[in-house]
Amino acid sequence: MPPSTHGPTQLSPARIRLALFALALGGFAIGSTEFVAMGLLPNLAADLLPGLHAAQPDVANAQAGWLITAYALGVVVGAPTIAAAATRWPRKKLLLALLVAFTLGTIASALLPSFGLVLAARFVAALPHGAYFGIASLVAADLMGPGKRARGIAVVLSGLTIANVIGVPAITWLGQVAGWRVAYLAVAGIFALTFLAVALVVPFQPGNPHSSIRRELRALGRRQVWLALLIGAIGFGGLFAVYTYVSPLVMDVTGLAAWAVPIVLVVIGAGMTIGNLVGGVLADRSVRRTMYGAFGVLVVALSALALSARFLAGLLAGVFLVGAAAAALGPTIQTRLMDVAHDSQSIAAALHHSALNVGNALGAYLGGVAIAAGLGYVAPVWIGLGLSGLGILLAVVTFAIDRSRRRLGVHVPYGTAAITVVPATWLRAHLPGG
């Protein structure tokens, strides 16, 4: 890894690795706080909605899924707001402020007594989510240097995916043994540790003195930005429709005991970790091919899971492939957004996580509706398949627009390089002898 310069000093490869580790640790904490509710959904329902849970456990589980939806909506609101408003802040200072907010919001989630208050706390705790990942991705891309942006983004996102291998299963087990409130306090401790790590090893990076809210918001006027966001939101709904209700899927469909839920979460997390890293490498070569390939695997995996979830082998293979394919889309869509947003980098990087959490909210909501309607715990998998199919159609549209613009000689980002193609008709009209 080549040395990187930031301000007056030169960073060694070892310092860069430490900085990337600190940023990834934040992703680990965020992944833990976001996804642990999915493994503890029955516990949350029994404690916060005791009367409803005793009478109608399926309906209580579906209503407890609103906690996941509330967190996702907090990300959607907070990501563009914070990223646009704080774009001139030094990046390290902003990251530290966001980590303080995460720590306090997660403590509040653990201590508040009622379902309504915990619901509100989950929304507030989610506000820094997208801004953290957006700014951390920009810092990591800068540390890695040209030609390795997607790999830098994948390193940051690897904290989130590794959380699904280690953090979420461990904290789910802790929540089952000691109570879900203790689980959330443990997550708050990880956020506090991340604050110390970022403070110690992440180098200073200035904000953009020429940026402004108005300039950042220009990204929202670009059609290709909206298409990339829709691809993330609708496509990732396929993952979250499954992930939100993985606990009842494991216990009620496959027929396993509660102790198997953390194991299945490890399998999903392993798939996400591998898929994220592979997606980062492949997206540096071609965003388009990587996006098509990941969506193709996701559709096949969801179909197989829906048909074979009652068998242990089908469950494990299905959730592994669903996690891998969905995670490969993460650095791919993030890179696509950075390409099509031009000079609105901060808000584009943050909006990626708004889009993912729209998918989170959409998958959780539609899955809950299907379960509450009595369609069973496999129904969310079929819903996820439909959402992923829409994601493929949107990907076809966005790249078709690219091809159309290239035929007109418009500067179009393609993979990691931007190219300008001059139509042959123009050449024939303007070159001598043409």
Side-chain angles (χ1 to χ4, degrees), residues 84 211-219 344:
S211 187
S212 65
I213 294 178
R214 182 176 180 179
R215 175 174 163 178
E216 289 293 324
L217 291 177
R218 288 177 190 167
S344 304

Side-chain angles (χ1 to χ4, degrees), residues 41-401:
L41 206 61
N43 308 73
L44 289 160
D47 186 47
L48 294 173
L49 301 164
L52 182 60
H53 187 267
Q56 296 176 288
D58 286 356
V59 176
N61 285 339
Q63 188 169 328
W66 295 356
L67 295 169
I68 299 166
T69 302
Y71 185 94
L73 294 176
V75 178
V76 173
V77 172
T81 305
I82 297 173
T87 185
R88 294 188 181 185
W89 281 34
R91 289 174 176 174
K92 180 174 179 177
K93 179 180 178 181
L94 178 56
L95 289 172
L96 292 173
L98 295 172
L99 289 166
V100 169
F102 268 128
T103 304
L104 297 177
T106 307
I107 291 173
S109 300
L111 299 182
L112 290 171
S114 69
F115 178 78
L117 290 175
V118 173
L119 191 72
R122 296 312 295 151
F123 176 85
V124 172
L127 293 174
H129 178 125
Y132 177 88
F133 271 123
I135 300 303
S137 293
L138 293 176
V139 172
D142 188 50
L143 289 171
M144 292 293 285
K148 297 182 179 179
R149 292 178 308 153
R151 274 168 277 187
I153 294 165
V155 169
V156 175
L157 293 177
S158 70
L160 187 150
T161 60
I162 292 172
N164 287 278
V165 180
I166 301 172
V168 174
I171 295 171
T172 297
W173 173 84
L174 178 64
Q176 290 174 339
V177 172
W180 68 268
R181 296 182 186 275
V182 175
Y184 274 108
L185 289 175
V187 173
I190 301 173
F191 277 120
L193 180 62
T194 303
F195 177 91
L196 294 176
V198 170
L200 290 173
V201 301
V202 172
F204 173 83
Q205 286 192 9
N208 186 346
H210 305 294
S211 187
S212 65
I213 294 178
R214 182 176 180 179
R215 175 174 163 178
E216 289 293 324
L217 291 177
R218 288 177 190 167
L220 300 181
R222 298 188 174 106
R223 177 176 53 181
Q224 289 287 52
V225 169
W226 281 107
L227 281 170
L229 293 173
L230 283 171
I231 291 168
I234 294 176
F236 267 82
L239 168 65
F240 290 116
V242 174
Y243 205 158
T244 301
Y245 301 101
V246 68
S247 182
L249 182 70
V250 170
M251 292 188 289
D252 292 352
V253 176
T254 313
L256 302 177
W259 58 262
V261 174
I263 296 174
V264 175
L265 293 174
V266 169
V267 174
I268 297 175
M272 293 176 70
T273 301
I274 294 171
N276 171 64
L277 296 175
V278 171
V281 172
L282 295 179
D284 275 328
R285 299 176 182 174
S286 171
V287 168
R288 178 178 60 85
R289 288 196 296 271
T290 304
M291 193 178 297
Y292 282 148
F295 266 124
V297 174
L298 183 57
V299 166
V300 171
L302 286 165
S303 301
L305 178 61
L307 295 172
S308 63
R310 65 184 184 276
F311 304 110
L312 177 60
L315 173 73
L316 295 178
V319 297
F320 177 87
L321 289 174
V322 168
L329 288 168
T332 307
I333 296 173
Q334 180 81 84
T335 303
R336 174 67 177 174
L337 270 170
M338 291 169 67
D339 284 338
V340 298
H342 305 303
D343 58 354
S344 304
Q345 293 288 297
S346 294
I347 196 169
L351 281 170
H352 175 226
H353 298 277
S354 289
L356 300 191
N357 280 273
V358 168
N360 190 340
L362 187 64
Y365 173 75
L366 294 177
V369 168
I371 292 168
L375 299 179
Y377 289 113
V378 176
V381 183
W382 290 113
I383 289 172
L385 178 61
L387 292 172
S388 297
L390 289 175
I392 292 176
L393 292 177
L394 290 168
V396 170
V397 170
T398 194
F399 292 119
I401 292 172

